[in-house]
Amino acid sequence: MSNVEHLKELHGLPAFDFAQFAGKRELPEAGAAAWWLAVEPYADPPQENFGDLWDRFLDSVDPAGVRAIIVGQWGEAYENDSSSIVRRLVDARDRLTSLRAVFIGDLEMEESEISWIEQSDVTPVLDAYPQLEEFGIRGGTGLRFPAVRHEHLRRLRFEAGGLPGEVVRGVAACEFPVLEHLDMWLGVEAYGGDSGVTDLAPILAGGRFPALRHLGLRNSEIQDEIAAAVAGAPVVAQLTSLDLSLGVLTDDGATALLDGQPLTHLTRLDLHHHFLSESMADRIREAVGSSGAEVDVSDQQTPDSWGDQEWRYVAVSE
């Protein structure tokens, strides 16, 4: 679970650890922080459970002023899925009337491998908060995301070592008329990432999300196939930022990308953590960066080898 750390901010607001500081110092105004809520299930002496922490939070701040919530460890995440978190958020919708951003599953490796985080159907949060603008999820195990419509969602992010194809297809069937930023860590099949390029087709075709400006299709073991599909995808014309980082991109995928439609309209192209040759990385810098775009081809990887076989790896899997 490398490259995954606790969020430092959400929705432009600094993360504030409610459990650590409540009762010890003056709390910030409700709308001035992204409230980070988490418990330590193995603490000695035992701490309060998440339900008690949640109730104390709603009683300690002005719920009507809360704009952002980050949910960290809610217990033993590999045994208890996120349905209880979803339920608490839904039940509090009449109190959290200003909520605009939610992230569920902000756990680091020391707390849980990303593949151990048990998620659930998280779309009831979108139904409960029609004004929500930003939604993020970490962990793909048990995650469900059936197609929904939401009028105000602008940013949607999935971080997973394996994002189920069912989730990818659900997102691709959603109606998000103002969605600007979509980021999906697709992961590897061994950890549930069984999506393919065909599952992404409705997104790549353009028109599904008319306001989309940033597209991240990252952390994939089929990064070359994705790059080839993106090379001719109509959606690219509407983007300002494209992110194909964290995966196993090789010179084959990069060649397809450069041989496809022009990318000079982009302001940023992120390919970091890759398996490109130095010459190919230079070609990409020259071809895309010459127009003034920010191009990230850092973190070059070397395949592992055993005998005459080579293995390439995504940045985040287990």
Side-chain angles (χ1 to χ4, degrees):
M1 192 176 168
S2 60
N3 298 339
V4 179
E5 299 177 343
H6 284 150
L7 299 184
K8 294 179 174 60
E9 63 87 27
L10 181 66
H11 204 57
L13 300 169
F16 183 88
D17 186 345
F18 174 79
Q20 181 178 354
F21 294 111
K24 300 179 182 179
R25 54 178 275 195
E26 185 176 352
L27 299 179
E29 293 294 324
W35 296 92
W36 195 78
L37 303 172
V39 297
E40 172 50 69
Y42 308 112
D44 185 17
Q47 296 179 349
E48 62 191 333
N49 61 41
F50 190 89
D52 291 338
L53 176 70
W54 178 258
D55 292 341
R56 186 161 63 91
F57 165 67
L58 293 180
D59 290 338
S60 300
V61 304
D62 174 16
V66 172
R67 296 168 56 202
I69 291 176
I70 302 169
V71 178
Q73 198 164 22
W74 55 81
E76 296 178 347
Y78 57 89
E79 292 184 352
N80 303 294
D81 67 28
S82 64
S83 59
S84 63
I85 304 302
V86 171
R87 184 174 63 254
R88 286 187 171 89
L89 283 163
V90 171
D91 289 347
R93 58 187 168 187
D94 293 334
R95 302 180 69 184
L96 296 167
T97 53
S98 296
L99 191 62
R100 297 295 181 269
V102 172
F103 190 96
I104 301 176
D106 186 28
L107 283 73
E108 293 183 326
M109 182 175 63
E110 290 75 13
E111 297 166 316
S112 173
E113 298 287 356
I114 198 169
S115 63
W116 297 355
I117 302 173
E118 293 283 343
Q119 290 289 351
S120 61
D121 183 355
V122 296
T123 55
V125 175
L126 293 176
D127 292 335
Y129 294 92
Q131 300 300 315
L132 201 70
E133 298 177 3
E134 187 169 351
F135 195 28
I137 304 295
R138 181 174 295 164
T141 302
L143 180 64
R144 296 187 299 282
F145 202 94
V148 295
R149 179 178 176 88
H150 197 283
E151 300 294 338
H152 291 93
L153 192 67
R154 297 182 180 278
R155 298 176 66 91
L156 180 60
R157 179 179 180 88
F158 298 93
E159 300 178 359
L163 193 63
E166 180 184 4
V167 171
V168 175
R169 291 187 292 274
V171 172
C174 287
E175 295 182 49
F176 298 138
V178 300
L179 188 70
E180 300 171 354
H181 184 112
L182 176 61
D183 196 13
M184 295 193 291
W185 298 12
L186 300 171
V188 301
E189 188 171 5
Y191 289 101
D194 58 353
S195 66
V197 169
T198 55
D199 298 316
L200 298 167
I203 299 171
L204 297 178
R208 169 61 65 182
F209 306 131
L212 196 66
R213 296 296 177 265
H214 169 88
L215 178 60
L217 302 173
R218 313 170 64 192
N219 197 50
S220 177
E221 63 184 346
I222 59 167
Q223 206 72 60
D224 281 350
E225 294 177 43
I226 291 171
V230 166
V235 73
V236 174
Q238 72 185 67
L239 302 178
T240 59
S241 175
L242 176 63
D243 191 339
L244 304 178
S245 67
L246 304 183
V248 295
L249 185 69
T250 72
D251 284 7
D252 290 341
T255 298
L257 198 62
L258 290 178
D259 288 346
Q261 61 192 301
L263 301 175
T264 51
H265 66 290
L266 296 175
T267 60
R268 178 173 173 78
L269 175 65
D270 191 347
L271 304 178
H272 83 274
H273 183 99
H274 59 79
F275 292 84
L276 304 179
S277 64
E278 290 287 353
S279 60
M280 179 58 70
D282 289 341
R283 281 187 60 193
I284 292 172
R285 288 191 194 97
E286 181 178 354
V288 183
S290 60
S291 62
E294 180 184 356
V295 179
D296 188 349
V297 285
S298 64
D299 199 15
Q300 182 185 42
Q301 303 293 312
T302 301
D304 290 335
S305 61
W306 181 264
D308 58 354
Q309 294 186 344
E310 291 186 338
W311 288 271
R312 294 176 175 84
Y313 42 86
V314 302
V316 181
S317 56
E318 184 180 3

